[in-house]
């Protein structure tokens, strides 16, 4: 059986015969769920030899060997009638790892999926670790500390390390989780500690601590748990920079101090996990995020983007990433079988959640009815500004929310932008792709010669042809009010629907942006507010776009001209690059170029001394976001990469979408056209009166 967990196909081991699967002593599926089984009574008394090693009798040894096998190979059990497999590390964690609050973990399907994912990547030769984006109090540090000690128990010469965002946090994790958890292990899983048992900096283990009465065999093979140790260190770029590290837990990397860039830390520590070409170590790096401007969030994000195992066959930093939404495994919304109650619960789930969670905190019966997702959405409703963004980062629904930028220092209202991006994630059928095709194959016009020799120019029309690979996108259902409304004047073509739609365009030239990235040509069409039709759903909306890197500059101009012809309106180009002027003139379409009031040529200037234009774009965009953000259906316009979310007034060159939309807003706000009115004629023009003489 293959499970797909976070874009990774995980092969499960072959299911054993049903009679060999733990059924918890019942055939009733409703009573089949994970239960931690305490040590048998025959372990209440264990003998020790003069060296302090435990002496197990045959009964104790048989039990211990079975538990060791489960910790290595994994375990099958029935869960609500379903055969369910957990990895050896997961079994060790559930059965033997005591948490810092002196209880054992509950079974959660959220954790099961993570352990399966972890096991898969641990066995990939090039992979050195996993970055884990998480919600607040997910329990990932507890899992990571369990895995550190597991390494020391089951593998010889293990050298394990732990650090966190501060030395205090690292010490707390070590003493309250690593050392405490180790002390609670049963004797057959507890290697003898060589150093002071009360050490608060490291645990150093002997090679074995168990013998069989009257024999020499060890419960755990002699080559396991051999000269292993685990310690913690304060966060620093060189905290683990030499020797060999077989297991690392680097907690809260997204909150590392600014003078310890987490990406540099991981680059250095990675070198301790390889020997030549051979992989000798693995790390887990769980974290929630700090404000991108105040902590290590931006550094963690650098690593995250390079750890994309979908984008890269082998990631550049040899890491992979893992994320689950906050509503998955949220405490208070986990049923009897460890399954997350994300949406409205079933009656059975509702009764269980009310009985176990209502009354022990602020959760109410009405909250339970919502399910975890809507409960968390409701929690956001009463918050504003940075408090809201902090709540979202601590309980993110997706990767983008995990790295939500702070409003402080941001040009636009990032909360509103992110909120709209969220909405688009669940409403992804708002736009369609397509091409604009000339109706009869003739570009612009067709000359017709009548029988009487009179020549007539028939202006052609463009048709919208849906195509998933088309170069244009438009809002689903929208078509221009003045579609193909073009007329000929003085031998030139001119649009006749400027009152309805405006287009802004940020073209490219052949140089690259500051980050060595080739920019796109971006053009956005904006439908004007129509006071005579105030209920039109497309009023004050970006309705169509063209964003692409065409093979030549002329091809980009061709696509933009077709867009303007189709909409029957003018285009406001950025004139830092003005090859478009000659192209439009050559096509007899210079009238499609917009002139702003007071300008001596068409277009608008934004580079160098164009700070005024950029400020104008910011002002219009900010106002638009506050009033009409819910009308934006193009994710790229909202995005951090080229849109409003990441917009930087000091480096506008790479924000193609944001600039093109800004030019469209300037075109809409600074120049007004009126709807052409049909000339009214008196009745005399049809049936003239005879005048009296």
């Amino acid at each position: 059986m293959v499970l797909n967990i976070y874009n990774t196909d995980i092969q499960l081991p072959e299911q054993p015969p049903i009679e060999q699967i733990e059924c918890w002593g019942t055939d009733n599926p409703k009573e089949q769920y994970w239960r931690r089984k305490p040590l048998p009574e025959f372990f209440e008394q264990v003998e020790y030899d003069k060296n302090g090693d435990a002496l197990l009798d045959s009964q104790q040894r048989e039990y211990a060997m079975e538990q060791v096998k489960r910790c290595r190979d994994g375990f099958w059990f029935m869960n609500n009638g379903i055969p369910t497999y957990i990895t050896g590390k997961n079994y060790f964690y559930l059965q033997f790892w005591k948490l810092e609050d002196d209880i054992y973990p509950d079974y959660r399907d959220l954790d099961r999926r993570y352990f399966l994912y972890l096991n898969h990547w641990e066995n990939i030769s090039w992979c050195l670790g996993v970055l884990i984006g998480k919600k607040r109090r997910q329990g990932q540090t507890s899992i990571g500390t369990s895995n550190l000690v597991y390494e020391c128990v089951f593998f010889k010469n293990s050298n394990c390390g732990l650090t966190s965002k501060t030395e205090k946090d690292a010490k707390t994790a070590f003493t309250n989780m690593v050392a405490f958890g180790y002390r609670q292990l049963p004797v057959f899983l507890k290697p003898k500690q060589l150093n002071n048992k009360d050490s608060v900096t490291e645990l150093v283990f002997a090679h074995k601590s168990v013998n069989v009465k009257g024999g020499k065999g060890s419960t755990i093979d002699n080559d396991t748990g051999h000269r292993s140790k685990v310690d913690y260190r304060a966060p620093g770029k060189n905290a683990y920079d030499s020797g060999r590290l077989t297991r690392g837990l680097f907690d809260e990397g997204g909150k590392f101090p600014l003078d310890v860039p987490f990406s540099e830390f991981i680059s250095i520590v990675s070198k301790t996990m390889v020997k030549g070409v051979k992989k000798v170590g693995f790390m887990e790096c769980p974290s929630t995020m700090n404000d991108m401007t105040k902590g290590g969030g931006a550094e963690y994000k650098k690593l995250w983007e390079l750890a994309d195992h979908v984008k890269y066959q082998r990631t550049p930093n040899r890491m992979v990433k893992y994320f689950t939404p906050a509503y998955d495994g949220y405490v208070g919304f986990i049923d009897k079988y460890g399954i997350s109650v994300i949406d409205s619960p079933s009656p059975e789930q509702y009764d269980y959640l009310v009985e176990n969670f209502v009354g022990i905190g602020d959760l109410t019966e009405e909250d339970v009815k919502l399910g975890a997702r809507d409960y968390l959405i409701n929690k956001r409703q009463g918050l504003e500004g940075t408090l809201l963004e902090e709540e979202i980062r601590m309980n993110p629904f997706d990767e983008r929310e995990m790295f939500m930028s702070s409003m402080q220092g941001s040009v636009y209202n990032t909360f509103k932008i992110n909120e709209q991006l969220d909405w688009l994630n669940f409403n992804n059928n708002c736009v369609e792709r397509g091409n604009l095709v000339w109706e009869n194959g003739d570009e612009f016009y067709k000359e017709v010669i009548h029988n009487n020799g009179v020549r007539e120019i028939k202006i052609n029309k463009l048709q919208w042809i849906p195509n998933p690979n088309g170069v244009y996108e438009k809002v689903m259902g929208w078509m221009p009010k003045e579609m193909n409304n073009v007329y000929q004047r003085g031998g030139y073509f001119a649009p006749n629907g400027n009152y309805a739609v405006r287009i802004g365009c940020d073209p490219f030239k052949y140089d690259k942006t500051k980050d060595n990235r080739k920019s796109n040509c971006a053009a956005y069409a904006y439908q004007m507010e129509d006071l005579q039709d105030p209920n039109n759903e497309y009023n004050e909306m970006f309705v169509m776009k063209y964003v692409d890197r065409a093979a030549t500059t002329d091809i980009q101009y061709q696509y933009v001209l077709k867009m303007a012809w189709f909409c029957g309106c003018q285009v406001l180009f950025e004139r830092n690059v003005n090859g478009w002027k000659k192209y439009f003139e050559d096509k007899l379409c210079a009238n499609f170029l917009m002139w702003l009031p007071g300008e001596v040529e068409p277009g608008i200037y934004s580079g160098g001394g164009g700070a005024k234009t950029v400020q104008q774009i910011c002002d219009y965009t900010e106002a638009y976001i506050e009033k009409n953000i819910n009308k934006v259906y193009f994710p790229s316009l909202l995005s951090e990469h080229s849109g409003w979310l990441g917009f930087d007034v000091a480096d506008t060159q790479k924000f193609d979408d944001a600039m093109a939309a800004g030019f469209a807003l300037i075109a809409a706000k600074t120049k007004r056209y009126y709807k052409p009115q049909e000339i009214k004629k008196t009745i005399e023009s049809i049936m003239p009166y005879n005048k009296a003489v």
Side-chain angles (χ1 to χ4, degrees), residues 139-408:
Q140 209 68 42
T141 306
S142 298
I143 290 173
T145 53
S146 171
N147 291 341
L148 286 177
V149 174
Y150 179 99
E151 190 82 12
C152 294
V153 170
F154 288 97
F155 295 94
K156 67 179 181 178
N157 294 319
S158 297
N159 187 23
C160 304
L162 160 69
T163 192
S164 188
K165 62 182 183 294
T166 67
E167 183 175 9
K168 181 180 178 181
D169 289 320
K171 180 178 180 179
T172 299
F174 182 85
T175 56
N176 293 356
M177 296 184 179
V178 173
F180 176 78
Y182 160 74
R183 287 195 295 269
Q184 311 305 313
L185 291 176
V187 63
F188 57 85
L189 287 177
K190 185 190 291 184
K192 185 190 297 183
Q193 188 178 344
L194 291 182
N195 64 326
N196 187 331
K197 69 177 182 178
D198 296 320
S199 172
V200 294
T201 59
E202 66 177 2
L203 301 178
V204 182
F205 303 119
H207 64 283
K208 68 175 184 178
S209 62
V210 176
N211 289 317
V212 180
K213 281 185 179 179
K216 297 180 180 179
S218 172
T219 301
I220 302 175
D221 293 344
N222 286 329
D223 66 344
T224 59
H226 184 66
R227 295 189 301 276
S228 297
K229 78 168 188 175
V230 54
D231 66 9
Y232 84 89
R233 298 180 187 177
K237 286 194 289 187
N238 300 310
Y240 291 98
D241 64 345
S242 61
R244 172 182 53 85
L245 196 65
T246 51
R247 192 85 190 187
L249 172 59
F250 308 125
D251 200 25
E252 297 291 9
K255 297 179 178 178
F256 263 39
L258 293 176
D259 60 345
V260 185
F262 193 61
S263 62
E264 292 184 32
F265 171 83
I266 292 299
S267 177
I268 292 169
V269 81
S270 294
K271 294 177 174 61
T272 70
M273 294 186 167
V274 293
K275 185 177 182 180
V277 297
K278 183 181 179 182
K279 164 183 164 182
V280 297
F282 195 88
M283 60 184 126
E284 294 174 83
C285 306
S287 188
T288 51
M289 293 302 112
N290 245 354
D291 184 319
M292 297 293 107
T293 63
K294 294 180 181 177
E299 283 293 320
Y300 197 89
K301 187 178 181 183
K302 288 181 185 177
L303 289 168
W304 188 268
E305 291 175 345
L306 292 175
D308 189 340
H309 54 280
V310 175
K311 180 178 180 180
Y312 302 104
Q313 186 173 3
R314 170 177 166 169
T315 63
N317 57 11
R318 298 185 68 173
M319 304 284 286
V320 295
K321 60 182 182 177
Y322 185 77
F323 176 84
T324 50
Y327 46 74
D328 188 354
Y330 193 82
V331 175
F333 293 91
I334 303 172
D335 72 9
K336 179 179 180 179
Y337 308 102
I339 305 301
S340 300
V341 183
I342 295 172
D343 300 308
S344 297
S346 67
E348 180 184 2
Q349 288 174 325
Y350 173 79
D351 292 340
Y352 176 84
L353 297 180
V354 169
E355 180 180 350
N356 286 273
F357 297 107
V358 172
I360 62 174
D362 65 346
L363 199 67
T364 68
E365 293 182 14
E366 292 302 312
D367 292 332
V368 170
K369 291 177 182 178
L370 296 173
R373 182 192 286 116
D374 285 346
Y375 170 75
L376 287 174
I377 290 174
N378 278 2
K379 281 187 68 175
R380 297 178 177 186
Q381 299 306 315
L383 302 175
E384 295 180 352
T386 54
L387 287 177
L388 176 59
E389 291 195 351
E390 178 69 9
E391 165 62 25
I392 291 174
R393 281 199 304 273
M394 292 299 99
N395 289 297
F397 287 8
D398 53 38
E399 295 180 29
R400 180 186 46 77
E401 285 193 350
M402 183 172 67
F403 296 108
M404 178 172 282
S405 301
S406 170
M407 288 179 65
Q408 182 179 0

Side-chain angles (χ1 to χ4, degrees), residues 540-579:
E540 298 191 274
M541 180 184 248
F542 293 99
V543 287
M544 188 175 182
K545 79 166 191 175
Y546 162 74
V547 179
D548 191 27
R549 177 75 186 187
T552 68
T553 52
D554 277 3
I555 292 176
Q556 69 172 330
Y557 302 144
Q558 174 194 350
Y559 284 133
V560 176
L561 175 54
K562 289 173 72 173
M563 184 174 169
W565 189 288
F566 180 65
C567 294
C569 72
Q570 291 180 331
V571 184
L572 180 63
F573 276 97
E574 181 192 38
R575 68 168 178 255
N576 305 34
V577 183
N578 63 1

